[in-house]
């Protein structure tokens, strides 16, 4: 595995999120928008003849991404698969789909020849028929059902879609990099290296442009989280990329408090929770490691214990559908910390729940689309702590928030509402 921000972040420009993840998040958002109830099954279609090797190399990773995306979008819906018999069986046997819609009508597909029906088949596509007469005649598929799929005959009232954030227009990506670089430089944070405010000759792992590229790579997830939770995307973006830009890898020999080095702290937590042979990113610190059970980690630099509390609170609010964990148990701390460290989508999706928890703990309204700048700045402060230093840093973060929100996100929202296309001149 890589290091630092939950596995090594790729520096490939505008690389998409992992296969299937963005599809699942988008599907969740669409299902909510159409009023589908919690627990509804969404069938993801694989509508071509795939070989057994392709199922291994492409379909199963794709559905692993779907499972991950569904979880990070709140876990509201089940996953189904539409594909050949073989693909349905293999994906389902891997625990990645709860029911199968079998494309048996494609009789010549190799994935249907000689393979039994999947054990969890719900719908079977068996024949094409025509209904209607004359100009009104249409061709439809005739399907049979096993009873596994109950369907849905009533719907929730779809939530209002007014003023929700929209995807970033990538034609403006280079300009965004330039603007963020200029803002960060104006507050003493160069393109590379530590902020001027650091009291030691430190070293950071990621450049400003890398962090912006990382944010753009994950724009699908940032956007859908903001839309589903009805909060401003900039609030999630700033908290994540600010922490990523400040990832500290200063030599511990130059530090009076070694755990200020984020890699060292991560290694200490790994050592606390694990026996046996350690990975290289742990052993590089040798006998200097002093194990402890938790630290901030990953893209958004989140503690395992705090993530547990934030996600438990989200469960109480009906925003997440997953089992609660106990922040006093080392086993639960490690389970969450490990995902925060190695799983980028899990870490990013926890950031908005941290804001929701901080608002609750400090008697504030849940962050929403009309949150004031005062409240947004307060939440940026609480993300770092409730100290004078955190308050000072929040003012700097707020400048980045205004840049993202005022120059980009709000403009894209307005353009979509007007049905216009923003292009570079």
């Amino acid at each position: 595995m890589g290091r630092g921000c939950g596995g090594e972040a790729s520096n490939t420009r505008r690389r998409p999120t992992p296969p299937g993840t963005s599809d699942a998040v988008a599907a969740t958002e669409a299902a909510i928008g159409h009023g589908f109830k919690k627990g509804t099954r969404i069938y993801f279609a694989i509508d071509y003849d795939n070989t057994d090797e392709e199922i291994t190399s492409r379909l199963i990773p794709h559905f692993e991404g779907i499972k991950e995306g569904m979880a990070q979008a709140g876990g509201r819906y089940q996953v189904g698969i539409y594909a050949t018999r073989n693909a349905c069986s293999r994906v389902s046997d891997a625990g990645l789909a709860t029911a199968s819609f079998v494309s048996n009508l494609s009789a010549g597909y190799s994935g249907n020849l000689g393979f039994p029906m999947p054990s969890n088949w719900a719908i079977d596509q068996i024949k094409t028929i025509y209904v209607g007469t004359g100009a009104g005649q249409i061709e439809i598929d005739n399907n049979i059902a096993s009873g596994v799929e109950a369907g849905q005959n009533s719907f929730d009232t779809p939530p209002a879609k007014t003023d929700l954030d929209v995807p970033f227009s990538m034609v403006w990506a280079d300009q965004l990099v330039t603007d963020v670089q200029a803002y960060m430089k104006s507050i003493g944070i160069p393109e590379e290296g530590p902020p001027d405010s650091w009291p030691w000759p430190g070293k950071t792992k990621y450049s400003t442009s890398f962090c912006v590229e990382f944010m753009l790579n994950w724009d699908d997830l940032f956007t859908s989280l903001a839309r589903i939770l009805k909060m401003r995307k900039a609030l999630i973006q700033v908290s994540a990329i600010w922490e990523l830009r400040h990832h500290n890898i200063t030599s511990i020999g130059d530090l009076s408090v070694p755990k200020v080095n984020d890699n060292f702290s991560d290694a200490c937590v790994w050592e606390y929770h694990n026996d046996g042979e350690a990975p290289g990113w742990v052993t590089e610190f040798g006998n200097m490691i002093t194990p402890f059970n938790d630290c901030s980690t990953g893209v958004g630099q989140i503690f395992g214990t705090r993530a547990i509390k934030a996600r438990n609170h989200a469960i109480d609010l009906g925003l997440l559908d997953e089992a609660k964990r106990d922040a006093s148990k080392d086993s639960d701390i490690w389970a969450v910390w490990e995902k925060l460290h190695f799983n980028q989508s899990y870490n990013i999706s926890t950031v908005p729940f941290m804001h929701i928890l901080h608002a609750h703990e400090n008697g504030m309204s849940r962050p929403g689309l009309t949150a004031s700048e005062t409240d947004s700045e307060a939440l940026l402060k609480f993300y770092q702590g409730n100290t004078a230093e955190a308050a000072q840093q929040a003012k700097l973060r707020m400048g980045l928030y205004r840049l993202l929100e005022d120059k980009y996100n709000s403009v894209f929202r307005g353009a979509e509402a007007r049905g216009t296309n923003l292009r570079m001149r």
Side-chain angles (χ1 to χ4, degrees):
M1 273 296 188
R3 288 285 303 113
C5 59
E8 194 68 41
S10 169
N11 200 20
T12 303
R13 173 161 288 199
R14 263 77 79 189
R15 177 184 57 80
T17 52
T21 301
S22 59
D23 292 338
V25 175
T28 295
E29 183 191 335
I32 293 172
H34 287 292
F36 283 96
K37 296 180 179 293
K38 184 180 291 187
T40 298
R41 187 178 288 109
I42 299 174
Y43 289 87
F44 292 84
I46 307 297
D47 202 7
Y48 78 102
D49 189 15
N50 32 75
T51 65
D52 202 54
E53 189 280 328
E54 284 179 310
I55 296 172
T56 299
S57 63
R58 300 180 65 184
L59 267 63
I60 287 180
H62 183 76
F63 273 83
E64 288 173 342
I66 287 173
K67 182 177 181 179
E68 178 68 25
M70 295 291 269
Q72 302 325 325
R76 292 169 173 80
Y77 302 114
Q78 298 184 63
V79 175
I81 178 174
Y82 170 86
T84 62
R85 292 183 177 196
N86 188 31
C88 285
S89 293
R90 291 203 53 203
V91 169
S92 298
D93 289 347
L96 301 174
T98 61
S100 296
F101 188 151
V102 186
S103 60
N104 260 335
L105 188 59
S106 303
Y109 278 9
S110 63
N112 284 328
L113 298 176
F115 290 98
M117 287 287 282
S119 60
N120 66 350
W121 81 271
I123 304 170
D124 185 6
Q125 183 187 53
I126 59 171
K127 187 179 181 181
T128 297
I129 62 174
Y130 292 90
V131 296
T133 59
Q137 188 180 71
I138 60 173
E139 182 182 28
I140 66 169
D141 292 336
N142 186 26
N143 303 320
I144 59 175
S146 68
V148 169
E149 180 59 72
Q152 185 169 315
N153 59 12
S154 64
F155 299 84
D156 294 332
T157 301
K161 297 182 180 180
T162 305
D163 204 33
L164 297 178
D165 275 297
V166 299
F168 188 90
S169 177
M170 292 300 173
V171 296
W172 293 93
D174 290 332
Q175 184 62 50
L176 175 64
V177 172
T178 298
D179 287 343
V180 174
Q181 286 174 321
Y183 172 72
M184 298 293 260
K185 184 177 179 180
S186 75
I187 59 173
I189 302 176
E191 161 62 9
E192 294 183 341
D196 295 344
S197 60
W198 278 14
W200 53 78
K203 185 178 181 181
T204 55
K205 186 167 187 177
Y206 304 107
S207 67
T208 297
S209 57
F210 178 95
C211 295
V212 178
E213 295 285 359
F214 180 92
M215 180 182 74
L216 294 175
N217 287 341
W218 287 91
D219 186 65
D220 287 347
L221 182 57
F222 281 114
T223 303
S224 289
L225 287 170
R227 291 174 66 90
I228 291 169
L229 297 171
K230 292 184 172 53
M231 69 168 61
R232 282 291 161 238
K233 180 163 72 167
L235 191 64
I236 309 171
Q237 292 172 310
V238 169
S239 299
I241 68 167
W242 188 276
E243 296 296 340
L244 189 61
R245 178 63 185 86
H246 286 73
H247 188 94
N248 190 335
I249 56 170
T250 304
S251 170
I252 60 175
D254 296 331
L255 297 168
S256 58
V257 181
K259 67 180 181 179
V260 170
N261 179 307
D262 292 314
N263 289 0
F264 179 75
S265 290
D266 290 342
C268 290
V269 172
W270 192 97
E271 185 70 20
Y272 179 93
H273 292 284
N274 292 275
D275 296 320
E277 184 177 354
W281 58 268
V282 174
T283 57
E284 69 176 275
F285 295 105
N287 59 8
M288 294 179 288
I289 288 180
T290 54
F292 45 84
N293 75 336
D294 197 13
C295 73
S296 60
T297 194
V299 180
Q301 284 296 293
I302 304 170
F303 282 82
T305 50
R306 292 297 290 168
I308 290 172
K309 291 178 181 178
R311 297 181 76 92
N312 283 352
H313 181 59
I315 293 168
D316 290 339
L317 294 177
L319 303 175
L320 270 179
D321 188 4
E322 64 184 30
K324 283 189 173 183
R325 293 189 180 272
D326 187 341
S328 68
K329 291 184 176 180
D330 277 347
S331 58
D332 280 358
I333 293 171
W334 170 248
V336 171
W337 188 95
E338 185 178 31
K339 290 193 74 174
L340 288 170
H341 181 75
F342 288 114
N343 187 322
Q344 293 170 354
S345 66
Y346 183 85
N347 195 299
I348 292 169
S349 71
T350 302
V351 171
F353 299 133
M354 296 300 299
H355 287 312
I356 292 170
L357 176 66
H358 293 149
H360 170 71
E361 291 176 335
N362 291 279
M364 299 171 60
S365 298
R366 180 178 149 185
L369 301 177
T370 59
S372 67
E373 286 204 354
T374 299
D375 282 353
S376 296
E377 184 175 320
L379 289 173
L380 292 173
K381 178 188 78 170
F382 293 134
Y383 194 91
Q384 185 174 351
N386 193 11
T387 65
E389 180 185 1
Q392 182 183 23
Q393 288 290 306
K395 293 186 181 301
L396 302 180
R397 296 182 190 217
M398 196 63 195
L400 181 57
Y401 176 97
R402 292 190 187 100
L403 171 61
L404 295 174
E405 168 60 16
D406 296 346
K407 186 169 182 178
Y408 291 96
N409 296 351
S410 65
V411 174
F412 295 146
R413 294 196 304 270
E416 179 162 293
R418 295 188 302 272
T420 57
N421 187 14
L422 294 174
R423 297 185 181 277
M424 294 289 290
R425 292 181 179 179

